[in-house]
Amino acid sequence: MARVGGTARVCVPDDTLEGAPAAPERTYTAALDVVVRYLRMVCAWPEGRGPLARAFSYVLPYSFASSGVPQLVYFALGEHEDNVELVGFLADALGSSLCCFKMFQLQKHAVTIMAVREILEGFTPMERSVAAHAELLNEHCERRSVTILRRYVRAYSVLSALTVVFMVLAVIRNDPWYSVKAPRYMMETRPLYLFMVVIATIELYAFPVAIGLYDGMIFTLSLHTACKCDVLALVLEQAVRQDADEIGLQDGAEEGKRMRLCAVYHQQIIRLHRASESIFSTVALCQMFYTLFGLGTPLFRMLNKTQEVEPQDIAFSAVYVMWTFIQLFTFCYSGDIVAKASTRLSLASYVSFHPSLSGKDTQLGRIQNMIVLRAQRPLFLTAGRLTNLTLKLFQDIMRRSYSLYSTVLRMR
């Protein structure tokens, strides 16, 4: 397959598999099958689309962007009351833009997802030496990935359905209740208000995929990367199980084949990491900036209300905060999973190094040195290649969001 986003199919040398037991038939790509199935639901998967579906695939992302237009007009007309409301407007605009961006990223990286599937399939033949242990790790990873993906999408689907119900009730009661700010004449003009409701309904149809699937996918690819790092640690342990001083010439040749297999397997992990990085890096940076505004926005709105705060305001604020919190936590926790697995692999490669083997076989020594040197450079998922996604970053953003919240309150 052609190179896509820094990924390519790896051909495993035949001599690395010589004498190995038969490869298992199963490949662990069920989570990616779930991704493809949901992308087809919103016409975001490039295969098998007709002209109408292709046009609809552009309408869905732009429906997110269009939801920010009423806020822009609201701000341009000067109907906002103070700085607190302005910060809320900025947060809503950033949230809508982020949803639109995620939807376009899913469409853009459909080819990268297909490349990731080939990379995962390429791991299977190289796991024959530790097939029993690798199968357990892979099955656990697959079950967990599929479960997380489906739960993310279902959770956001429930949220979308509830929002649609509230909007329909508002239309029936002739109450222009809307979750975003809009100019007064747009809210009081029935056709314009109904048009906004229709656009919001289209947006909510794609919302579970654009947000739930995207956030679940970073968790999925991080779990697969961590799983493969753990499998490679087992392969390295298997490759150097015998004492180096007792290995004969024939065993030394077999040891060379195993070490070459480890080098190829490690290269596959690096390619999987690069593919994940190409999909999530830019969005993660945007997610950081949005969280700085999004976490405090509901509190700004409630404190700025002149009338009594109603239960629906509290419910909306709680959902808004949880949504923003979970998105940021998902990105940072997924990056933390990859970082810790990479650290475990680095330690395993260091422990597996045998200088005596390097002296007996120069080529084997080079392979060992290459594996150790590459493993010492840890793998991280990054936000725009500026900072590493870890739980420490999550804590820093939470603190900065609180500081911004305090600053805006002083500006009231």
Side-chain angles (χ1 to χ4, degrees), residues 18-193:
E18 184 179 349
E25 295 292 332
R26 182 178 176 184
T27 56
Y28 300 93
T29 58
L32 293 182
D33 294 337
V34 174
V35 172
V36 173
R37 184 160 59 251
Y38 281 117
L39 289 181
R40 290 186 185 278
M41 290 175 57
V42 294
C43 305
W45 192 249
E47 296 178 351
R49 290 190 301 179
L52 182 60
R54 192 177 298 109
F56 193 58
S57 69
Y58 286 96
V59 171
L60 290 175
Y62 282 122
S63 67
F64 290 104
S66 63
S67 64
V69 174
Q71 303 173 33
L72 182 62
V73 177
Y74 177 83
F75 173 70
L77 293 177
E79 295 187 11
H80 64 285
E81 298 177 356
D82 50 27
N83 292 327
V84 173
E85 194 169 12
L86 177 59
V87 172
F89 157 75
L90 291 175
D92 289 339
L94 285 174
S96 299
S97 302
L98 185 60
C99 293
C100 178
F101 187 41
K102 284 185 177 182
M103 194 70 189
F104 275 123
Q105 287 291 97
L106 285 173
Q107 297 185 26
K108 174 184 175 182
H109 288 288
V111 182
T112 309
I113 294 172
M114 289 189 288
V116 168
R117 177 185 290 182
E118 290 197 8
I119 291 174
L120 293 176
E121 291 174 350
F123 280 111
T124 304
M126 295 185 285
E127 297 172 351
R128 295 174 184 173
S129 60
V130 290
H133 294 88
E135 185 176 0
L136 292 176
L137 290 173
N138 285 322
E139 286 182 351
H140 176 71
C141 175
E142 185 179 57
R143 287 195 305 269
R144 191 178 178 190
S145 299
V146 172
T147 301
I148 288 174
L149 271 173
R150 289 175 175 168
R151 286 181 178 176
Y152 264 86
V153 175
R154 288 171 183 170
Y156 284 109
S157 297
V158 171
L159 183 61
S160 296
L162 290 175
T163 306
V164 170
V165 169
F166 282 129
M167 287 196 301
V168 171
L169 291 176
V171 172
I172 294 174
R173 297 197 310 262
N174 197 24
D175 178 20
W177 178 84
Y178 204 61
S179 61
V180 296
K181 291 292 184 180
R184 185 178 300 278
Y185 77 90
M186 295 182 70
M187 302 295 287
E188 294 178 351
T189 305
R190 187 74 171 179
L192 288 177
Y193 175 65

Side-chain angles (χ1 to χ4, degrees), residues 145-363:
S145 299
V146 172
T147 301
I148 288 174
L149 271 173
R150 289 175 175 168
R151 286 181 178 176
Y152 264 86
V153 175
R154 288 171 183 170
Y156 284 109
S157 297
V158 171
L159 183 61
S160 296
L162 290 175
T163 306
V164 170
V165 169
F166 282 129
M167 287 196 301
V168 171
L169 291 176
V171 172
I172 294 174
R173 297 197 310 262
N174 197 24
D175 178 20
W177 178 84
Y178 204 61
S179 61
V180 296
K181 291 292 184 180
R184 185 178 300 278
Y185 77 90
M186 295 182 70
M187 302 295 287
E188 294 178 351
T189 305
R190 187 74 171 179
L192 288 177
Y193 175 65
L194 291 177
F195 178 74
M196 287 194 298
V197 171
V198 171
I199 292 295
T201 304
I202 296 174
E203 172 187 337
L204 290 169
Y205 167 72
F207 180 77
V209 175
I211 304 300
L213 185 66
Y214 195 95
D215 293 356
M217 194 164 63
I218 185 176
F219 225 133
T220 294
L221 294 186
S222 298
L223 288 174
H224 278 291
T225 303
C227 176
K228 299 309 177 185
C229 287
D230 292 338
V231 172
L232 180 55
L234 291 175
V235 175
L236 286 170
E237 182 183 353
Q238 176 97 10
V240 295
R241 182 167 296 175
Q242 292 178 284
D243 185 74
D245 296 331
E246 297 178 359
I247 295 180
L249 294 177
Q250 184 177 359
D251 292 331
E254 182 66 24
E255 188 75 13
K257 293 179 182 179
R258 291 180 178 178
M259 294 306 296
R260 286 195 295 273
L261 177 64
C262 292
V264 175
Y265 196 99
H266 192 200
Q267 184 63 26
Q268 281 281 75
I269 293 176
I270 294 174
R271 288 190 169 116
L272 178 59
H273 168 262
R274 288 176 180 173
S276 304
E277 181 78 354
S278 68
I279 297 174
F280 302 111
S281 177
T282 306
V283 175
L285 183 62
C286 298
Q287 187 74 53
M288 287 172 51
F289 287 114
Y290 166 66
T291 304
L292 289 174
F293 291 96
L295 279 176
T297 299
L299 295 176
F300 299 157
R301 287 172 173 165
M302 284 194 294
L303 291 174
N304 201 47
K305 289 177 72 71
T306 55
Q307 66 273 23
E308 183 180 354
V309 177
E310 299 179 359
Q312 69 177 19
D313 297 325
I314 299 176
F316 174 78
S317 300
V319 172
Y320 199 108
V321 170
M322 287 300 298
W323 171 46
T324 308
F325 177 88
I326 290 174
Q327 284 189 71
L328 178 65
F329 182 78
T330 297
F331 277 76
C332 292
Y333 184 68
S334 299
D336 206 64
I337 290 174
V338 174
K340 290 180 178 179
S342 178
T343 301
R344 292 195 298 268
L345 177 59
S346 176
L347 179 61
S349 64
Y350 179 78
V351 172
S352 68
F353 182 74
H354 284 282
S356 56
L357 283 179
S358 304
K360 290 182 179 180
D361 189 334
T362 304
Q363 184 179 8

